[in-house]
Amino acid sequence: MIVKRGFILLFSTLFLLITASCSSTKKTSAKVFKSKVEASYYADKFNGKKTASGAVFSNSKLTAAHRTLAFGTKVKVTNTANNKSVEVEINDRGPFKKTREIDLSKKAFMQITENKNNGILNVNIEILN
């Protein structure tokens, strides 16, 4: 009986160790795309309008516009001032101001900004897929 308990305890411990080492921690491999570039956000007047990809725009979703990245590309945008980041999906073309690299939905922008009254951020952009 003691041998049986010892075997069960040993087996249980090994099982826990093996399953713990196999657990998947979400690690996203990211490729740096642009560093220290400007980001802005969409005005509310664009809500409900079609984007260049054909999707209907919503400022309450985590999306963005970029001039060249393919629609559906997921990017991580990090505010260089506070290191806060957000993951968004490219579904539109823009921005149309030359100094800006990416236009974020209002929801995405507000998640990473410190100053809600300023519409421009310096960010780093990483491609996730």
Side-chain angles (χ1 to χ4, degrees):
M1 192 64 133
I2 294 174
V3 174
K4 189 176 179 181
R5 283 186 189 164
F7 178 75
I8 291 172
L9 181 60
L10 177 64
F11 180 75
S12 299
T13 305
L14 285 173
F15 178 76
L16 288 173
L17 286 171
I18 290 169
T19 56
S21 66
C22 292
S23 69
S24 65
T25 54
K26 186 179 176 187
K27 290 185 180 177
T28 335
S29 63
K31 182 177 136 188
V32 175
F33 177 67
K34 297 274 181 151
S35 297
K36 298 178 186 170
V37 293
E38 279 189 359
S40 55
Y41 69 92
Y42 282 86
D44 287 327
K45 70 180 182 181
F46 294 105
N47 274 321
K49 308 262 179 165
K50 277 199 174 183
T51 63
S53 69
V56 175
F57 176 73
S58 171
N59 249 334
S60 62
K61 293 185 179 176
L62 295 175
T63 59
H66 192 270
R67 288 182 200 91
T68 60
L69 289 173
F71 297 138
T73 301
K74 290 187 175 28
V75 296
K76 179 180 175 183
V77 180
T78 305
N79 182 342
T80 59
N82 62 15
N83 214 32
K84 288 184 179 180
S85 63
V86 65
E87 292 181 14
V88 296
E89 184 174 337
I90 304 298
N91 73 341
D92 202 7
R93 291 291 169 233
F96 298 105
K97 183 160 181 168
K98 298 241 184 250
T99 60
R100 300 204 184 123
E101 185 66 29
I102 194 167
D103 273 337
L104 299 171
S105 65
K106 195 172 192 177
K107 180 177 182 176
F109 188 92
M110 293 303 166
Q111 282 186 12
I112 63 174
T113 189
E114 291 285 326
N115 182 355
K116 309 272 190 226
N117 297 316
N118 188 4
I120 307 291
L121 292 176
N122 286 314
V123 299
N124 294 331
I125 303 171
E126 298 169 86
I127 297 175
L128 299 177
N129 66 345

